Amino acid sequence: MPGNPRKLTALLAATAAAAGLWAPTGAAATETAPTAASAGKTAHRVTYDRYSLKVDGRRVLLWSGEFHYFRLPSPDLWRDVLEKIKAAGFNGVSLYFHWGYHSPAPGVYDFTGVRDVDRLLRLTEELGLYVVARPGPYINAETTGGGFPAWLKNVPGRARSSDPGYTRAYREWLARINPIIARHQVTRGGSVIAYNAENEYAANTDAAYMEDIQKQARAAGIDVPITHNQCCDASWTPTWASGQGAVQIPGVDDYPQAFECREPDVWGTWGEGVTERLSDDAPVYAAEYQAGAIDGNKAGYDKCRELTGPNFMKVYYKSNLIASGATMFGYYMSFGGTNWGRLAQPNDVYTSYDYGAAITENRQLTGKYDEFKRQGLFTTTVAPLTKTDPAAAPEPGGGAVHTEARANPDTRTQFVLVRHPDRTTDADASADLTWNAPDGTYTVPVRVKGRDAKVLVAGYDMGGQRLAVSSSELLTHTAADGRDVAVLYGTEGVPGMTVLRYTSKPTVKVLDGDVRASYDGKGDLRLDYTHRGLARVLVTGGGRRPLLLLLGTDAEAAKFWKHGDVLVRGGSLVRSARVAGDTVHLRADTDEAAGIEVFAGAARMTVNGAPVAARRTAAGTLTGRVPGPARVRLPELTGWRTAPGAPEARPDFDDRDWTVADRTATVSPIKPKTLPVLYADDYGFHHGHVWYRGRFTATGEETEVRLNAITGKGGSYQVWLNGRYLGSAAGGEQKDSDAPVNPDPGPGSFAIPSGLLTKGRTAVLSVLVENMGHNDDWTADDVRHKQPRGLVGASVTGASGPITWKIQGASGTDRVRGPLNNGGLYGERTGRHLPGYPDRSWTPASPAGRAVDAGVTWYRTGFRLDLPKGHDVPLTLRFGGGSGAAHRVLIYVNGWSLGEYVSGGPQRDFTLPAGILRQHGDNTLALAVVAEGRAAVGPVSLNAAAVHRGGVPVSDVPSPGRTS
Ligand code: IPT
């Protein structure tokens, strides 16, 4: 993440030329996303015009949420999250593919296990979610190296350019990922509807490179439209809308709230958030629209969720829908996940990438989820939204509200935005709109209470009904059992009116609530009510099929779920609903015993495969009762054993197998302060801690060790001389490529106690340096991402001869867990983090209340889980808070690195995803405590973030133990 993106505008150069075109076709109608039926692999045609994407000529409004499979290392949970995304009304997902996650070394790629993206794409296909595939090669995403493999740091040639070195490298990645994406395209019966080239490619651009990415895609059979996500607004040039390297559908990223989560009430820091049209021939594409925030200032993600909460979503998303006419949306993020392993890019994020998203890191649904559902069900139900032009808005009368409108030129359906003129105000304003709707002119009273906005609809053929106008918002509608069911909603306590058209006087029966109906004799049936609870009105006759109209509040609207034509009310999550014969089959999660109601022609109900007693209601629906969750007891973490973990600090440690560090040149644009080059990446050690051991012949006059280390933000390093701990220092970082290269990064000077060194004897300097992850390459200039990790300068004041160095990082790559999983701590090199490590000889002791010395200390224990079957119990590891010197704790569960606790840091709860965690079996927990002085970690416990009956079946992710 670049800081304020506007800062960089000046760096960027403009290009302009002719637009690339894609065959426009088709009439207005909607297309639902691919369904399981399309698993029969029917090929579809994907086209577009200035209004929208089209599948087989039918228009699609793409409402997608961003999801990072690499931040959820349990493929069965991909289903959980994607089902939740689908149930929120999304019809698509936007997926980054992470080069570095798949490639530990040049020419080596892994697409198995937690990296099985073919499986991910099969799943999107099965669930009927369209995919915007975003394989970079550069992705940013606050992930290490912005998605580049760390080995790219050693490849000469500027990344994100057409330099031959980089070209060879990225073509290798594209040659692997493109064929996987290609076989899952909508055009081959799959889910991929668009392909995004590069990512916010606006600084130091190279059009030949941008063009070549697309050539590589086409050569691999990618034939869906190619898109790009331009940073922030069209002032960022090139936009890739025209000229060499142009894409078919240029889109814009918009983060109007910016990222200051400490001030969640400050709105619009980065502008109005109205997606710009970049091409006359392609739809307006909100490629990344803010749906959360990174927590650079460590306010905690709940504050980020507030900054981007339901009110912001109402005001900004609805404003954008009407002001921009966009029909392609990617909300970043729908679920953020975890920077497990060493996935984080250290400047902006820590272990959690919760992002303040609608679905939390622990896969829980929030108030933002409800708002997504309210908006998503609407945008993906109402077909005329796929083709709209700006239209005259109803006059707001004397009232203090702002109106803005769009209309479908074919159906004449109107969409009217109603909000405060100043989006950030929390006033309570009312107005009577004079609305020239397709069916007549109406006076429509509206009220905007607080930070809110509404999109009202007029002149809409709602199934078999005609909605003339309404001051309530439309959630969705279905047709089942020979009648229509429609849900309208509005602010609690605020009056509403709805006009429906009939050819003769219909019969109105108010089943529930207080609704007054009047028929004007000329076709208008007017309903007046106040939004309170859920009112039910049955309208029959009048020349139309029956309508069950449900009038609710925001909260009531959020209780609905829609799967195909089955509308369901209740349950904490309804994953799927299907009617077969006279039975409706639901897959649902419940948090408490509660009613569940189905608005479809069925007489029986099953929930999660089990029959549920159900009865028909007066409203012609079916209600059943579902049980709540079982009680869960979690084990205490006991039986700990401990062992010291920094033998490398001892002068007699055997480092015979270590790599000699004697290089004198580096590819990095940042040059070392002293030689030899000690950059960890240059010796093939890319992730986690590295150890250095330097030897020199002592003069006895030495006074000070002076070092410089780059760890990335938040890291530290530790120094021993002849086994004596000299202390620690903060690791440096090269913050921003706009700033001059820091000449003295991560400095540390360590006084040498007199008498420690003896003249003529070999002295051994041991240095442990953490690597917090690699910087991104947002500005495409190599300065950030190729900045080194490890020591960049070393000298001993008073020494006369040279220091000879050896270096050791991670030994080999864990085949299953991947290259980012572990670093070069002694315990990591010897498998102490793995299941089955023989720790019997270790000292029994728990981390709670026990102090450790500076350096590295390991703890291990095991625990058995037997969570109730058919439940979802997301667990976290909770750090109660320690004391003493600064310390950090690497967390390993069944050998998987699930995060780093940092004393005084923002995160105390660490997500332990089911699958990595054996929910019914034995688990191994290993902690590596790296302390800068004497410190106590404090209590560590298991904690349930929630208990749901339901969930998805989760099988254990293979977690090989120590073999030797
Ligand atoms: C934009 C990136 O495209 C995306 O990868 C991610 O970094 C996101 O922002 C922030 O979380 S960068 C834009 C905010 C300038």
Side-chain angles (χ1 to χ4, degrees):
M1 219 289 302
N4 185 343
R6 269 155 238 282
K7 219 168 76 186
L8 272 170
T9 314
L11 293 175
L12 309 175
T15 58
L21 286 190
W22 188 260
T25 54
T30 41
E31 159 73 8
T32 48
T35 59
S38 73
K41 296 285 179 187
T42 312
H44 300 282
R45 218 157 61 93
V46 181
T47 55
Y48 65 86
D49 63 10
R50 76 186 309 272
Y51 293 109
S52 73
L53 284 167
K54 299 176 204 179
V55 174
D56 295 334
R58 280 173 298 182
R59 293 191 181 279
V60 174
L61 187 143
L62 181 68
W63 188 257
S64 72
E66 181 83 21
F67 170 70
H68 297 161
Y69 65 90
F70 46 88
R71 286 183 160 126
L72 184 55
S74 178
D76 284 327
L77 290 182
W78 296 346
R79 173 183 292 276
D80 178 58
V81 172
L82 292 180
E83 283 183 350
K84 284 169 175 162
I85 290 173
K86 175 92 196 284
F90 286 104
N91 62 0
V93 281
S94 177
L95 305 176
Y96 273 144
F97 294 87
H98 189 306
W99 180 4
Y101 189 67
H102 296 274
S103 180
V108 183
Y109 287 83
D110 179 13
F111 294 98
T112 64
V114 300
R115 294 172 171 74
D116 186 352
V117 293
D118 192 84
R119 173 174 176 180
L120 173 71
L121 291 172
R122 283 199 309 272
L123 183 61
T124 57
E125 227 165 278
E126 182 201 319
L127 297 179
L129 285 166
Y130 286 123
V131 170
V132 178
R134 309 204 300 158
Y138 181 73
I139 62 171
N140 207 59
E142 292 79 59
T143 188
T144 181
F148 282 154
W151 56 259
L152 192 67
K153 292 173 81 169
N154 298 338
V155 174
R158 181 168 66 90
R160 307 179 77 189
S161 81
S162 49
D163 186 283
Y166 176 65
T167 302
R168 253 192 314 280
Y170 80 76
R171 282 190 183 164
E172 180 184 295
W173 159 242
L174 293 181
R176 304 294 188 118
I177 192 69
N178 281 343
I180 301 174
I181 294 170
R183 63 175 176 262
H184 289 284
Q185 292 175 102
V186 171
T187 51
R188 298 189 195 173
S191 54
V192 176
I193 196 167
Y195 178 101
N196 197 71
E198 249 285 344
N199 188 83
E200 296 194 327
Y201 190 41
N204 296 310
T205 54
D206 178 336
Y209 160 59
M210 190 63 182
E211 189 174 42
D212 188 60
I213 295 173
Q214 298 175 63
K215 273 195 191 143
Q216 301 302 316
R218 294 301 187 211
I222 303 288
D223 55 9
V224 293
I226 295 184
T227 63
H228 176 69
N229 59 319
Q230 181 64 19
C231 180
C232 313
D233 60 43
S235 71
W236 293 78
T237 53
T239 60
W240 306 109
S242 60
Q244 188 189 9
V247 298
Q248 291 168 308
I249 306 181
V252 183
D253 292 353
D254 257 309
Y255 290 82
Q257 297 293 68
F259 300 96
E260 183 46 275
C261 301
R262 290 178 304 186
E263 293 177 343
D265 289 334
V266 178
W267 279 24
T269 308
W270 281 3
E272 295 294 291
V274 176
T275 310
E276 286 177 67
R277 171 174 286 285
L278 296 182
S279 162
D280 285 338
D281 310 302
V284 177
Y285 177 26
E288 285 177 26
Y289 203 96
Q290 183 162 21
I294 51 183
D295 184 26
N297 291 321
K298 317 269 190 278
Y301 284 113
D302 284 338
K303 290 279 183 208
C304 301
R305 213 174 331 272
E306 225 178 294
L307 176 71
T308 58
N311 295 343
F312 157 75
M313 296 167 69
K314 284 171 192 278
V315 176
Y316 278 76
Y317 297 0
K318 291 177 187 180
S319 295
N320 188 35
L321 184 72
I322 300 306
S324 73
T327 56
M328 294 173 68
F329 299 87
Y331 287 99
Y332 191 105
M333 303 288 305
S334 58
F335 163 84
T338 306
N339 290 308
W340 71 277
R342 294 280 179 174
L343 269 176
Q345 176 269 82
N347 280 10
D348 300 305
V349 290
Y350 36 94
T351 296
S352 174
Y353 197 72
D354 176 277
Y355 212 80
I359 304 171
T360 68
E361 185 184 8
N362 287 313
R363 300 176 288 105
Q364 301 308 296
L365 312 185
T366 65
K368 289 180 62 174
Y369 183 91
D370 290 346
E371 184 55 29
F372 263 127
K373 194 159 54 146
R374 284 185 287 261
Q375 295 191 32
L377 290 183
F378 170 68
T379 54
T380 56
T381 300
V382 181
L385 259 182
T386 56
K387 183 181 180 185
T388 60
D389 292 315
E395 274 302 314
V401 300
H402 168 80
T403 57
E404 213 168 322
R406 300 188 78 81
N408 183 300
D410 306 325
T411 66
R412 299 177 57 230
T413 307
Q414 297 177 356
F415 301 95
V416 173
L417 172 75
V418 181
R419 62 164 168 84
H420 294 301
D422 169 4
R423 286 192 210 179
T424 64
T425 181
D426 56 6
D428 181 352
S430 299
D432 285 328
L433 306 185
T434 307
W435 191 332
N436 294 314
D439 299 286
T441 298
Y442 298 92
T443 302
V444 179
V446 293
R447 182 164 161 199
V448 187
K449 242 177 119 176
R451 285 178 160 179
D452 195 5
K454 298 173 187 306
V455 174
L456 307 181
V457 183
Y460 175 49
D461 288 324
M462 188 171 68
Q465 314 297 322
R466 176 71 176 177
L467 178 67
V469 77
S470 178
S471 69
S472 302
E473 295 190 272
L474 176 58
L475 178 74
T476 192
H477 58 93
T478 58
D481 217 9
R483 67 179 191 180
D484 291 301
V485 181
V487 186
L488 295 170
Y489 69 99
T491 308
E492 163 103 55
V494 168
M497 66 83 94
T498 296
V499 178
L500 296 156
R501 297 281 301 160
Y502 291 91
T503 50
S504 59
K505 187 177 182 195
T507 306
V508 178
K509 196 169 166 197
V510 178
L511 303 172
D512 232 326
D514 184 8
V515 180
R516 295 162 309 285
S518 57
Y519 186 69
D520 72 353
K522 291 180 284 187
D524 275 6
L525 172 71
R526 180 180 164 129
L527 303 172
D528 283 282
Y529 45 89
T530 294
H531 297 104
R532 196 163 280 137
L534 186 70
R536 298 166 184 247
V537 182
L538 189 61
V539 188
T540 50
R544 296 185 183 273
R545 66 188 187 203
L547 167 68
L548 176 63
L549 186 65
L550 306 167
L551 301 161
T553 57
D554 280 22
E556 284 297 327
K559 292 182 186 164
F560 285 90
W561 308 90
K562 180 176 179 264
H563 291 282
D565 253 338
V566 185
L567 194 65
V568 182
R569 179 172 173 265
S572 59
L573 167 70
V574 176
R575 295 172 184 273
S576 69
R578 183 173 56 86
V579 178
D582 69 348
T583 306
V584 61
H585 301 281
L586 304 179
R587 287 174 53 245
D589 288 12
T590 54
D591 299 344
E592 53 180 10
I596 200 158
E597 182 174 16
V598 177
F599 298 75
R604 290 171 224 278
M605 189 187 293
T606 74
V607 177
N608 300 333
V612 161
R615 61 175 181 83
R616 297 289 292 179
T617 68
T621 66
L622 184 69
T623 62
R625 230 186 134 66
V626 286
R631 289 179 71 87
V632 171
R633 275 185 64 91
L634 297 177
E636 303 268 317
L637 296 176
T638 56
W640 292 95
R641 288 178 181 269
T642 187
E648 299 91 337
R650 292 200 306 260
D652 61 348
F653 179 80
D654 181 358
D655 61 13
R656 164 169 18 163
D657 296 337
W658 288 23
T659 304
V660 174
D662 58 359
R663 292 179 181 232
T664 54
T666 178
V667 162
S668 173
I670 295 177
K671 300 306 169 197
K673 289 187 75 168
T674 58
L675 288 175
V677 174
L678 295 172
Y679 300 178
D681 294 288
D682 292 41
Y683 297 95
F685 302 121
H686 298 305
H687 306 287
H689 287 87
V690 282
W691 275 100
Y692 295 89
R693 284 167 57 85
R695 288 184 172 80
F696 57 95
T697 306
T699 60
E701 306 294 314
E702 289 86 351
T703 54
E704 196 181 39
V705 177
R706 297 176 71 92
L707 300 173
N708 287 91
I710 300 185
T711 56
K713 191 173 176 180
S716 71
Y717 62 100
Q718 296 176 279
V719 185
W720 290 260
L721 184 61
N722 279 356
R724 175 90 63 97
Y725 184 59
L726 298 188
S728 68
E733 46 161 340
Q734 176 61 40
K735 259 206 192 97
D736 202 320
S737 56
D738 308 12
V741 170
N742 182 355
D744 191 28
S749 37
F750 306 90
I752 299 176
S754 60
L756 183 61
L757 302 185
T758 311
K759 183 173 179 186
R761 291 263 180 85
T762 300
V764 182
L765 187 60
S766 299
V767 186
L768 175 63
V769 185
E770 184 168 18
N771 173 354
M772 300 301 290
H774 302 275
N775 291 69
D776 61 38
D777 188 32
W778 200 75
T779 40
D781 58 8
D782 264 11
V783 177
R784 295 185 194 209
H785 87 104
K786 278 188 178 161
Q787 68 181 275
R789 290 294 181 260
L791 291 178
V792 299
S795 61
V796 177
T797 314
S800 62
I803 312 175
T804 58
W805 288 96
K806 284 192 155 188
I807 182 171
Q808 177 66 59
S811 50
T813 295
D814 185 318
R815 283 291 183 91
V816 171
R817 302 175 183 92
L820 297 145
N821 191 66
N822 40 268
L825 293 178
Y826 178 81
E828 293 174 300
R829 305 200 307 273
T830 53
R832 287 183 175 183
H833 60 299
L834 297 174
Y837 180 87
D839 58 14
R840 288 272 180 73
S841 60
W842 290 18
T843 310
S846 127
R850 175 179 180 267
V852 296
D853 286 325
V856 185
T857 306
W858 284 79
Y859 287 95
R860 284 175 56 91
T861 189
F863 59 92
R864 194 180 163 76
L865 287 179
D866 200 5
L867 299 174
K869 294 255 162 61
H871 281 65
D872 183 7
V873 187
L875 296 191
T876 67
L877 191 69
R878 176 167 288 176
F879 286 79
S883 57
H887 56 278
R888 45 196 70 219
V889 183
L890 306 185
I891 303 161
Y892 285 98
V893 173
N894 298 326
W896 295 80
S897 159
L898 294 183
E900 179 173 26
Y901 165 79
V902 180
S903 63
Q907 190 176 358
R908 284 189 170 200
D909 270 294
F910 291 80
T911 295
L912 313 180
I916 296 294
L917 204 61
R918 274 110 188 77
Q919 301 181 96
H920 311 280
D922 292 319
N923 293 279
T924 301
L925 174 61
L927 304 178
V929 182
V930 182
E932 293 178 44
R934 203 162 164 75
V937 171
V940 180
S941 59
L942 290 172
N943 166 59
V947 181
H948 306 283
R949 184 179 289 277
V952 297
V954 179
S955 48
D956 293 343
V957 176
S959 297
R962 185 164 170 275
T963 50
S964 68

